[in-house]
Amino acid sequence: QITLKESGPTLVKPTQTLTLTCTGSGFSISSSGVGVGWIRQPPGKALEWLAVIYWDDNKRYSPSLRNRLTITKDTSKNQVVLTMTNMDPVDTATYFCAHRPTYTSTFDMWGQGTMVTVSS
Amino acid sequence: QSALTQPASVSGSPGQSITISCTGTSSDVGGYYYVSWYQQYPGTAPKLMIYEVTNRPSGISNRFSGSKSGNTASLTISGLQAEDEADYYCSAYRSMSTYVFGTGTRVTVL
């Protein structure tokens, strides 16, 4: 059974850097074809794809946010870390991580999400 | 990076069928067979309902079906039930190996 869990601060100040960790179980992020992505959702708004990292360390970022995002993985802990610099109140959102399976380009299992508020 | 376009809301009576559209471009919906649909209840994580345009994951009711024509994908819910009342999002693989989500559709069961 695949599960993912996001962790990180619930409150960050403007201009600070956000670091979120996604811990996966029931799968290995080093298995061929596997990926883990990050998606966010501001309160009452739509989902927005942020980034994805693959088993081979290939990384892709949202073009609109690529200069602020960094995604990395720690295979020994089966974790994926997302950092976002220069946080702004408009970045207030629930941040989800999700599993990209080996067989296709979709996100088949999602974490419960973690709410991040940006405020001074 | 512009989102895929969905109607803000769709409604139907129990037992009816409804269809939600998802319009993109030749660089995403029209260019690849990797269109997915997600169902989301308030305060919960999205749940995958359809992948690769037409495929249902194990455990998803066959009342949910997907299709695509050109740059527009569609999700059809047949035999509408009260439990189908939720937000629905499409997603597509986009050129440069990125992803994009739709604007979301609120489904209301009358």
Side-chain angles (χ1 to χ4, degrees):
Chain A
Q1 178 191 2
I2 292 173
T3 63
L4 304 98
K5 187 174 178 64
E6 306 88 351
S7 59
T10 57
L11 178 66
V12 297
K13 290 180 168 48
T15 76
Q16 287 187 335
T17 294
L18 172 69
T19 299
L20 295 173
T21 300
C22 174
T23 302
S25 62
F27 71 98
S28 172
I29 60 172
S30 59
S31 295
S32 181
V34 168
V36 173
W38 285 93
I39 301 99
R40 72 178 178 180
Q41 185 173 38
K45 296 189 176 182
L47 300 169
E48 179 184 16
W49 178 77
L50 300 177
V52 64
I53 188 167
Y54 295 99
W55 83 103
D56 59 357
D57 213 39
N58 197 356
K59 305 165 188 178
R60 291 291 183 266
Y61 297 100
S62 166
S64 60
L65 292 168
R66 67 176 302 112
N67 62 340
R68 298 176 54 205
L69 296 174
T70 302
I71 191 169
T72 59
K73 61 181 173 64
D74 183 336
T75 54
S76 67
K77 297 179 181 178
N78 217 42
Q79 291 179 334
V80 172
V81 175
L82 181 76
T83 61
M84 180 180 291
T85 61
N86 195 25
M87 292 292 285
D88 183 271
V90 300
D91 297 313
T92 293
T94 297
Y95 288 75
F96 298 97
C97 64
H99 174 262
R100 187 271 198 190
T102 60
Y103 57 89
T104 190
S105 289
T106 190
F107 295 105
D108 63 344
M109 298 299 295
W110 294 56
Q112 64 188 22
T114 185
M115 178 66 191
V116 178
T117 300
V118 184
S119 175
S120 55
Chain B
Q1 180 179 3
S2 54
L4 307 176
T5 301
Q6 299 179 231
S9 62
V10 174
S11 62
S13 299
Q16 286 187 329
S17 292
I18 62 169
T19 297
I20 304 168
S21 62
C22 170
T23 301
T25 69
S26 58
S27 295
D28 38 64
V29 174
Y32 305 92
Y33 217 63
Y34 297 124
V35 176
S36 302
W37 288 91
Y38 300 89
Q39 177 191 64
Q40 186 182 34
Y41 295 113
T44 70
K47 176 183 180 180
L48 179 65
M49 305 301 283
I50 296 285
Y51 68 96
E52 287 180 355
V53 179
T54 61
N55 294 333
R56 284 185 306 275
S58 173
I60 300 302
S61 170
N62 59 9
R63 297 188 300 104
F64 292 85
S65 61
S67 63
K68 187 182 80 159
S69 177
N71 296 337
T72 298
S74 299
L75 173 71
T76 297
I77 308 175
S78 58
L80 198 63
Q81 299 179 1
E83 66 198 51
D84 300 331
E85 189 162 290
D87 294 327
Y88 292 82
Y89 292 92
C90 62
S91 175
Y93 181 87
R94 180 175 267 183
S95 57
M96 304 298 287
S97 300
T98 59
Y99 293 84
V100 61
F101 281 88
T103 51
T105 298
R106 173 67 54 87
V107 169
T108 301
V109 181
L110 301 172

